[in-house]
Amino acid sequence: MTGQEPIKRILLYVDGSEACITAAQYGIALSKSMNAELIALYVVNISLLQELTKARIFVKIEEMDYEQDLEQDGKRYLRYISEMAKSKGLEITTELAKGVVNKVVSEKADNYKADLLVMGELDPVLSRSDSYHDEGELIFRKVKCSVLVVKNPDLVEQVFSNLDS
Amino acid sequence: MRISELLNESLITLSLQHRDKTGIIEELLDLAVQSGKIGHRSEALKAILDREALMSTGLEKGIAIPHAKSSAANEICMALGICREGVEFDSADGKPSQLIFFLLAPESAAVQNIKVLGQIARLTSDTSIVDALKAAGSSQEAFDIIRKAEGEIGF
C-alpha cells in the first residue's frame, strides 16, 4: 500500500500480558502492510500502587520497590516487542510512561496523533465494578482514535510467522 | 486474575487453631503449601514475616492482608482465614482481625500481584460483603460470597 494511507501511526498498548504480545504481533503486521509508524507504550500503574499505600496495604518502601519491578517489567516487554519487530525488519519506537494508565494512554494517543490504538483482548467483565476498574476497558472507552482489539492468538501467530523479515 | 480464581473451598478455613499473628500466618501458609504453589515453605514464611516487620498488614474493620513476593512461590497463591470472634493481628485500629487474606506471589508477577491486592482492597471496602464473609458458616459459603461479589454467579 502506498500514497495516502489512512493509518500513518499506530499506538500499541503493552500491559505485560500474553494478550499484548498477540496484539504486538498484529500491530507489527499492520504496520508493515500499511507502512505505518508503530509506537509501543507501556504505562507503569502508579495510581494503583498509590491506592494500595493509601489503603495501608503497602508501606512506602514497598510501593517504591513494586514501582521498580513494574518499570523493569515494562522495559523487558518493550525490549522484547522491539526485537520481535526487528526480526521482521521493522524499527519501532518504544516508550515507558508512568501514571493513571487509561489517562496516560489516551494522552499519548493524542500526542502521537495515533490513527489507531492496537491492544490485546480485554479481560472478561463480569460485574459493574470490573468495568470501572479494568484499565483495558477504560482505555477502550476513553481514547479518541479507533481501537483494534486483537483476538485469536493462533491466527495472529500464523500471520506474524508469515511476515517477511 | 480474580480472587475466586485463586481461592477455592480448601484454601479457606473457618477453624483457625492459632490466635497469634505468626501462628495464623503459618496456618494459612500451610493451606497454600498444600495447593502445591509454594516450593519452599520456610523461605515463604520468612518473606511474609519480613513484610510484617515493616508494618503490620492488620488493617481496620477486622481485615488483615499478610502478603509478600518471594521466589518460594511458583505462582500467585492465596488463602483466607475467617474467625468470627477475631484474632490479634496488630491491626491499625487495635481491633481483632476476622478476615485474613494471605497472598504470596513470585518475584516476577508484580503486575498480577498488585492487581490482586487491588481486588482484595475493593472487595473489602464493601461492608455488606465483609459482613457476609464474617458470618459465613462454611468455606463453601465464603467462597460463594466471593464468587458472587466478583460477578461469577450473578447478583
Side-chain angles (χ1 to χ4, degrees):
Chain A
M1 201 179 286
T2 55
Q4 296 294 310
E5 285 85 4
I7 299 174
K8 294 174 189 154
R9 206 165 289 117
I10 299 169
L11 183 63
L12 170 71
Y13 169 55
V14 180
D15 67 355
S17 65
E18 280 182 35
C20 84
I21 298 299
T22 301
Q25 290 177 324
Y26 208 73
I28 291 165
L30 271 181
S31 174
K32 276 183 72 93
S33 68
M34 301 185 125
N35 199 23
E37 184 185 352
L38 183 64
I39 303 136
L41 172 69
Y42 182 101
V43 184
V44 176
N45 194 345
I46 296 285
S47 59
L48 180 53
L49 293 173
Q50 288 170 345
E51 275 175 37
L52 291 171
T53 303
K54 200 174 163 193
R56 298 174 59 97
I57 294 169
F58 274 177
V59 290
K60 194 67 192 172
I61 190 169
E62 202 178 10
E63 179 192 322
M64 290 157 64
D65 186 36
Y66 274 88
E67 185 179 328
Q68 276 187 345
D69 284 352
L70 295 182
E71 205 173 321
Q72 292 307 316
D73 213 39
K75 283 179 182 167
R76 197 167 54 244
Y77 271 91
L78 290 175
R79 205 165 38 237
Y80 180 68
I81 289 167
S82 189
E83 290 301 319
M84 274 169 59
K86 254 187 209 159
S87 75
K88 298 297 178 185
L90 183 72
E91 287 293 332
I92 67 167
T93 303
T94 62
E95 182 175 349
L96 186 128
K98 295 181 181 183
V100 179
V101 179
N102 65 83
K103 200 175 162 203
V104 172
V105 173
S106 180
E107 284 168 2
K108 294 289 178 186
D110 288 347
N111 294 347
Y112 280 116
K113 295 186 171 57
D115 303 299
L116 181 71
L117 176 80
V118 174
M119 63 192 292
E121 190 164 6
L122 299 169
D123 288 333
V125 171
L126 298 172
S127 69
R128 198 174 299 159
S129 166
D130 274 358
S131 56
Y132 290 142
H133 295 99
D134 184 80
E135 290 295 344
E137 177 91 7
L138 293 168
I139 289 165
F140 181 77
R141 293 182 185 284
K142 200 162 195 168
V143 291
K144 293 179 197 138
C145 64
S146 296
V147 180
L148 176 67
V149 176
V150 181
K151 300 189 179 191
N152 203 339
D154 292 340
L155 181 66
V156 173
E157 176 74 49
Q158 265 187 333
V159 170
F160 184 75
S161 299
N162 292 336
L163 281 179
D164 295 332
S165 43
Chain B
M1 188 173 279
R2 293 159 182 283
I3 297 169
S4 53
E5 286 175 311
L6 294 171
L7 282 178
N8 57 48
E9 302 92 275
S10 64
L11 288 166
I12 300 174
T13 178
L14 276 69
S15 52
L16 289 166
Q17 302 299 307
H18 292 81
R19 289 293 175 268
D20 64 294
K21 184 193 269 195
T22 305
I24 289 160
I25 285 172
E26 290 210 46
E27 270 189 65
L28 294 175
L29 172 59
D30 285 337
L31 288 182
V33 168
Q34 282 165 26
S35 74
K37 293 179 179 175
I38 293 177
H40 302 279
R41 186 188 182 282
S42 56
E43 200 182 313
L45 179 62
K46 184 178 181 309
I48 294 279
L49 295 180
D50 284 352
R51 166 60 189 86
E52 286 299 316
L54 289 175
M55 189 175 82
S56 177
T57 58
L59 308 174
E60 296 171 340
K61 298 173 187 168
I63 314 292
I65 312 176
H67 64 271
K69 54 179 176 171
S70 167
S71 54
N74 304 321
E75 54 188 292
I76 294 188
C77 53
M78 186 186 265
L80 170 61
I82 301 174
C83 180
R84 219 171 282 183
E85 62 272 27
V87 290
E88 172 52 43
F89 216 89
D90 191 18
S91 63
D93 60 3
K95 292 181 180 167
S97 299
Q98 293 154 291
L99 300 179
I100 301 110
F101 290 86
F102 172 98
L103 184 71
L104 192 74
E107 303 264 2
S108 58
V111 174
Q112 293 91 336
N113 191 3
I114 66 162
K115 275 188 183 173
V116 174
L117 285 168
Q119 284 165 5
I120 297 172
R122 280 206 297 281
L123 186 82
T124 55
S125 66
D126 187 324
T127 313
S128 64
I129 294 168
V130 167
D131 289 346
L133 281 173
K134 287 176 182 173
S138 66
S139 302
Q140 179 65 56
E141 189 184 338
F143 184 54
D144 285 345
I145 290 164
I146 292 169
R147 286 175 65 206
K148 187 175 174 183
E150 291 192 317
E152 288 198 17
I153 53 178
F155 289 99

